[in-house]
Amino acid sequence: MSWFVGLSLIGAFLFGIWLGMPRRFDQSLDEIDRRLVEPGQHNKAKRHITFLNLLQKKREKGSDRRQRDHRTPFQM
């Protein structure tokens, strides 16, 4: 019976690796170029709020800090 559990663990591990592999990309380069040349707005990545995002502190970008501080180096 323990061999059955071991085989099922190995099978589940291999199935997880198979699911995590990148899928085949079947879009041609000509189609990609046509879509990039089209006028108008392109789709942007959607941001989703998750439970982990709520727990994390809001990180401040370096560009935001630079705009806010207006540092002047070498002041005496």
Side-chain angles (χ1 to χ4, degrees):
M1 190 66 165
S2 64
W3 61 271
F4 181 70
V5 173
L7 282 177
S8 64
L9 287 174
I10 291 171
F13 178 71
L14 292 175
F15 183 67
I17 289 176
W18 180 75
L19 279 179
M21 289 176 56
R23 299 292 171 232
R24 185 176 176 156
F25 191 74
D26 57 353
Q27 193 173 20
S28 69
L29 292 175
D30 294 332
E31 186 178 352
I32 294 172
D33 287 338
R34 263 188 277 117
R35 287 183 181 255
L36 287 175
V37 172
E38 288 177 1
Q41 292 187 352
H42 299 287
N43 292 338
K44 294 183 180 180
K46 294 180 182 176
R47 303 289 179 194
H48 298 285
I49 296 176
T50 63
F51 179 70
L52 291 178
N53 290 347
L54 295 175
L55 293 177
Q56 287 180 336
K57 282 175 44 177
K58 183 176 183 203
R59 291 193 176 166
E60 194 174 28
K61 295 185 293 186
S63 58
D64 292 338
R65 286 192 301 268
R66 285 190 296 275
Q67 288 175 359
R68 182 190 61 210
D69 290 343
H70 298 291
R71 299 182 298 176
T72 55
F74 306 112
Q75 244 184 1
M76 295 204 177

